[in-house]
Amino acid sequence: MTNPLLANHTLPPFSAIAAEHVTPAISELIEQGRAQLAQLLADLPTPSWNTLVAPLEEQGDKLDQAWAPVSHLNSVANSEELRKAYTESVALLTDYSTEFSQNEALYKAYQQLADSDEFAQLPQAQQQTINNALRDFPLGGAALNHENKKRFGEFQKSLSELATQFSNNVLDATQAWFKQFDNADALAGLPESALAQAAQAAAQKELPGYVITLDFPSYYAVIMYADNRALREEIYTAYVTRASATGKKADGSSAAEFDNTPLIAETLTLRHELAQLLGFANYAERSLASKMAESPAQVLQFLTELAQKSKPYAERDYAELREFAARNGCADVQAWDTTYYSEKLRVEKYSVSQEELRPYFPAEKVITGMFDVVQRLFGIEVKQIAEFDTYHPDVRFYHIFKNGAQVASFYLDLFARDKKKGGAWMADCRVRRKTATGVQLPVAFLTCNFTPPVGTTPSLLTHDEVTTLFHEFGHGLHHMLTQIDVAAVSGINGVAWDAVELPSQFMENWCWEPEAIPLISGHYQTGEPLPQHLLDKMLAAKNFQSGLQMIRQIEFSLFDFRLHAEYNPDAPKSAQQVLNEVRDLVAVIRPPVFNRFENSFSHIFAGGYAAGYYSYKWAEVLSADAYSRFEEEGIFNAQTGESFLQEILQQGGSKAPMELFKNFRGREPEIDALLRHSGITGEAA
């Protein structure tokens, strides 16, 4: 049997990939890597870039090219067979990665190269790659004794398995619950678009009437618009107890089989032990070893100061909401009421709703407009490719050109569907690197979970979804527009995690600019751009409840960081206890006691944000301040855009983020722009 994952392909052969290909391919590529490394070290003369790093990069890229489509398919087209193969392969890859990072001979060879005369002659990107490797070898356990290396490897393998199981549980718990209605009476208040989507969901499940689910577009429509308070409470309860002991399935039976509580406890224990094994006091210290932030104290001070500035605004926002709800017959505002009455308050104050804006943001128009925006900013052209190998009919594929030459490609997978993980993200498919035959161009996966087209009505986005699309495209641009040819620091590789959100949050700004709105809006029936009166209202409402939104993100960030910084193995607190303590300090809205937010907090338990969720706010300071230069010089100023392209996007991880930021902005970042953009200035009334 020919294994498509072992053949050379410019792009993944999705139609040929089957679950049974995965483990054999990954196993074979790992064995090739082991044999190559052993041969390399046995025959190694004086280490040089060409005799040491380049061949390792080439072999690593072969493995990445096989694994990238498998990892992506596991997220967007999940099945029992693929999940099994994925889990088996993750275990193999974790062992291999640990072996690699703990290889003392390899560590020594890198050190020799760093100490050699050649090092000073190497380009910056190659020097940075070597320096990063020398930082990462000790973090991977290379300096440990034999017994502790074994323990470290066991910790890593267990943590990898726990993260995979956590993610699976969230997906399974989300899909285990749905509710069917024979008619729309109980769904009064939902807009026509949401009702049409509920009818389509019912048809897909071969049920009559309407079906609501815990997929975010469906959940959010109910929690925001359903007049039936009992229904809002029911779907809220189902959503916030996902992957917990009290979660429920569609038939009302227990979904406790997906409970992530024990996985969280075990994950925290193992992370702490791993950090201490490496000589860190806690996992938060370990996390910061490769980030911009210098110490846990600095992170906590940053978040605490931001909370102090934001909380009065959040309290003002909530007092206004409670007063409004009371005027409208709800004297005891509960968690399932806040989104519902917030939207009604927004409409009363600004005469504009998300649903009123939706017809002006058909997905097709937003996409073409977004491409127009980046063409003006960075001089790039995006062209859709009709024929390509895909894994689902919804997926699109594009090439990016600069000065007439192709520089990158990307897949765009926009819509929520069964067997697809929720949320939005960018992932690598191919990384830019120099090869024996030229330059391998970068390719990205861009994934969202928007409401799909229904019947003859196209996909219509809320303005929040528009900003999500721009956010993920910002990550994609960072990956795709790099001019660095060394894989380890190309694109987002090697970028400090608390700076990686800079380009993504930066791109969101154009979703609010009067100059840009006509490019990304056009009524799906008439083509008319968002009218001036609606634009004025949307802009007036931009910072509606921004205090509450800010304090919510700070709550998540503090919870994550304190969870890892304050872990005490002799008297471990549960995640819920830590979350309660954080809420005592900063929360303005207290969720009900049955809320198990942490059980589906995939960012920190199944993603790359452990003791790093603060990165969103940290990088938002950078992005807001970077954008302030465009505010000063013109939001479509081509020279400013070219400067951002050259100093930030093209540099990848080849230089320290602070150096890149200062090269672009001419100074260190200041927090003022973030506070101004969020409407947090002066005293809260």
Side-chain angles (χ1 to χ4, degrees):
M1 176 182 73
T2 302
N3 192 324
L5 293 173
L6 291 173
N8 288 324
H9 298 281
T10 304
L11 295 169
F14 285 114
S15 60
I17 298 172
E20 64 261 26
H21 296 136
V22 176
T23 305
I26 299 305
S27 298
E28 183 169 332
L29 288 165
I30 285 174
E31 286 310 311
Q32 288 179 14
R34 285 185 175 124
Q36 183 221 31
L37 179 60
Q39 186 71 40
L40 201 67
L41 293 174
D43 298 342
L44 190 65
T46 302
S48 69
W49 180 268
N50 290 331
T51 61
L52 178 67
V53 188
L56 292 177
E57 180 187 286
E58 184 175 353
Q59 184 63 35
D61 193 59
K62 286 183 185 177
L63 183 55
D64 290 344
Q65 289 201 18
W67 183 241
V70 173
S71 179
H72 185 63
L73 287 171
N74 186 62
S75 294
V76 298
N78 198 274
S79 68
E80 282 188 33
E81 298 79 15
L82 181 59
R83 182 180 290 190
K84 181 175 181 291
Y86 175 86
T87 303
E88 289 172 353
S89 297
V90 165
L92 296 172
L93 288 164
T94 305
D95 283 344
Y96 180 55
S97 173
T98 301
E99 285 174 30
F100 217 87
S101 63
Q102 292 185 352
N103 190 306
E104 291 180 39
L106 184 59
Y107 183 17
K108 183 179 178 183
Y110 267 88
Q111 190 62 65
Q112 278 185 269
L113 177 53
D115 293 339
S116 70
D117 293 338
E118 181 195 2
F119 181 79
Q121 309 303 316
L122 293 175
Q124 168 67 28
Q126 295 183 2
Q127 290 187 13
Q128 190 72 31
T129 297
I130 294 164
N131 288 333
N132 287 354
L134 292 174
R135 175 200 66 197
D136 292 342
F137 273 112
L139 296 178
L144 300 175
N145 61 35
H146 177 73
E147 181 183 342
N148 283 338
K149 279 183 177 176
K150 186 179 177 185
R151 287 179 64 205
F152 180 94
E154 291 167 353
F155 291 159
Q156 289 284 71
K157 190 169 185 176
S158 295
L159 284 167
S160 178
E161 291 168 353
L162 287 166
T164 299
Q165 188 59 49
F166 187 100
S167 183
N168 289 343
N169 284 348
V170 173
L171 177 61
D172 291 345
T174 299
Q175 302 203 333
W177 188 97
F178 65 88
K179 191 173 179 68
Q180 185 266 343
F181 303 86
D182 289 331
N183 59 63
D185 292 350
L187 299 174
L190 265 67
E192 283 300 318
S193 61
L195 287 173
Q197 178 56 36
Q200 183 166 287
Q204 288 169 347
K205 293 183 182 293
E206 299 181 345
L207 293 170
Y210 303 86
V211 163
I212 58 173
T213 72
L214 298 183
D215 285 331
F216 191 76
S218 179
Y219 163 76
Y220 201 56
V222 175
I223 208 70
M224 179 177 279
Y225 294 112
D227 294 330
N228 185 331
R229 193 185 191 201
L231 176 60
R232 295 201 308 270
E233 180 178 0
E234 183 179 1
I235 197 171
Y236 173 85
T237 303
Y239 191 79
V240 302
T241 57
R242 286 176 304 154
S244 79
T246 57
K248 293 286 190 287
K249 297 181 180 177
D251 61 4
S253 63
S254 172
E257 66 206 76
F258 308 127
D259 183 14
N260 274 333
T261 306
L263 276 60
I264 291 172
E266 191 175 352
T267 296
L268 293 172
T269 299
L270 289 174
R271 283 176 179 168
H272 185 76
E273 291 182 10
L274 183 145
Q276 293 211 312
L277 199 62
L278 294 175
F280 297 101
N282 52 61
Y283 193 80
E285 282 190 6
R286 159 66 188 87
S287 171
L288 296 188
S290 56
K291 293 183 170 67
M292 280 182 76
E294 296 171 359
S295 69
Q298 185 186 22
V299 172
L300 290 169
Q301 182 182 6
F302 167 71
L303 292 172
T304 301
E305 289 180 357
L306 202 51
Q308 288 169 349
K309 287 183 169 70
S310 306
K311 192 171 183 180
Y313 290 84
E315 289 169 337
R316 179 198 63 185
D317 289 344
Y318 192 42
E320 181 183 43
L321 175 63
R322 288 201 312 268
E323 189 274 331
F324 173 82
R327 276 197 286 117
N328 286 272
C330 181
D332 62 327
V333 176
Q334 300 296 324
W336 45 89
D337 300 319
T338 55
T339 305
Y340 177 77
Y341 283 105
S342 290
E343 182 61 11
K344 289 192 168 354
L345 174 59
R346 184 208 303 264
V347 172
E348 179 178 275
K349 285 187 72 171
Y350 303 104
S351 301
V352 67
S353 69
Q354 286 280 341
E355 203 58 31
E356 189 179 4
L357 297 172
R358 194 191 284 267
Y360 290 94
F361 293 108
E364 302 303 326
K365 177 61 178 176
V366 175
I367 292 167
T368 56
M370 180 173 70
F371 296 161
D372 196 351
V373 167
V374 295
Q375 181 173 19
R376 296 179 186 212
L377 286 173
F378 309 125
I380 61 173
E381 188 178 2
V382 185
K383 292 183 179 178
Q384 186 168 1
I385 306 303
E387 298 294 325
F388 65 100
D389 194 340
T390 186
Y391 54 87
H392 193 277
D394 286 348
V395 180
R396 307 136 186 257
F397 186 66
Y398 300 87
H399 288 330
I400 296 181
F401 297 85
K402 174 81 170 170
N403 298 326
Q406 186 186 339
V407 296
S409 305
F410 63 97
Y411 298 85
L412 183 61
D413 186 349
L414 283 179
F415 306 124
R417 61 176 177 268
D418 200 30
K419 305 299 182 185
K420 181 180 177 183
K421 188 176 77 172
W425 67 91
M426 189 284 294
D428 294 5
C429 174
R430 298 283 187 268
V431 66
R432 181 183 171 104
R433 57 179 291 269
K434 190 174 182 181
T435 71
T437 57
V439 174
Q440 175 177 287
L441 297 181
V443 183
F445 294 121
L446 298 177
T447 309
C448 298
N449 273 277
F450 301 149
T451 304
V454 179
T456 58
T457 304
S459 173
L460 305 175
L461 308 185
T462 66
H463 190 256
D464 288 345
E465 289 174 328
V466 174
T467 60
T468 296
L469 181 60
F470 270 70
H471 179 103
E472 298 308 331
F473 197 52
H475 280 307
L477 293 175
H478 201 186
H479 172 65
M480 294 186 288
L481 298 186
T482 185
Q483 288 294 295
I484 302 302
D485 294 339
V486 182
V489 290
S490 174
I492 64 169
N493 291 343
V495 177
W497 202 252
D498 43 8
V500 82
E501 296 293 335
L502 163 56
S504 55
Q505 293 174 327
F506 168 82
M507 283 304 302
E508 292 181 28
N509 289 288
W510 275 267
C511 302
W512 296 98
E513 284 292 349
E515 245 185 291
I517 291 292
L519 302 177
I520 62 173
S521 68
H523 195 283
Y524 78 100
Q525 291 171 319
T526 66
E528 177 196 10
L530 189 70
Q532 188 65 42
H533 73 279
L534 280 181
L535 173 59
D536 291 342
K537 292 172 182 178
M538 188 183 86
L539 293 174
K542 179 183 179 184
N543 289 322
F544 175 64
Q545 294 187 344
S546 62
L548 282 173
Q549 292 166 20
M550 179 77 80
I551 214 72
R552 181 171 178 267
Q553 287 298 309
I554 293 169
E555 177 186 312
F556 297 165
S557 300
L558 277 172
F559 162 62
D560 163 50
F561 205 77
R562 287 184 55 179
L563 194 63
H564 292 94
E566 299 173 7
Y567 183 85
N568 180 356
D570 298 323
K573 294 177 182 177
S574 70
Q576 190 64 55
Q577 284 176 287
V578 177
L579 187 51
N580 290 342
E581 289 177 6
V582 169
R583 285 172 174 161
D584 287 340
L585 286 174
V586 300
V588 171
I589 300 177
R590 291 299 293 252
V593 293
F594 62 76
N595 183 297
R596 290 293 176 269
F597 157 77
E598 66 273 23
N599 284 50
S600 58
F601 197 5
S602 297
H603 274 79
I604 71 169
F605 293 117
Y609 285 87
Y613 194 81
Y614 77 90
S615 299
Y616 281 101
K617 284 299 157 200
W618 186 277
E620 201 173 347
V621 172
L622 304 177
S623 66
D625 199 8
Y627 186 66
S628 67
R629 182 176 162 194
F630 284 85
E631 291 178 309
E632 295 163 7
E633 299 173 7
I635 67 149
F636 284 121
N637 185 306
Q639 288 179 308
T640 315
E642 189 67 20
S643 175
F644 189 82
L645 174 68
Q646 292 178 2
E647 302 294 355
I648 306 290
L649 297 177
Q650 290 183 347
Q651 296 302 319
S654 64
K655 296 177 182 176
M658 185 61 79
E659 181 182 350
L660 296 179
F661 182 89
K662 287 195 291 188
N663 287 347
F664 171 71
R665 198 65 185 93
R667 56 168 172 74
E668 291 197 354
E670 297 170 355
I671 199 171
D672 304 30
L674 170 60
L675 297 175
R676 175 169 52 81
H677 288 175
S678 304
I680 298 174
T681 53
E683 295 297 321

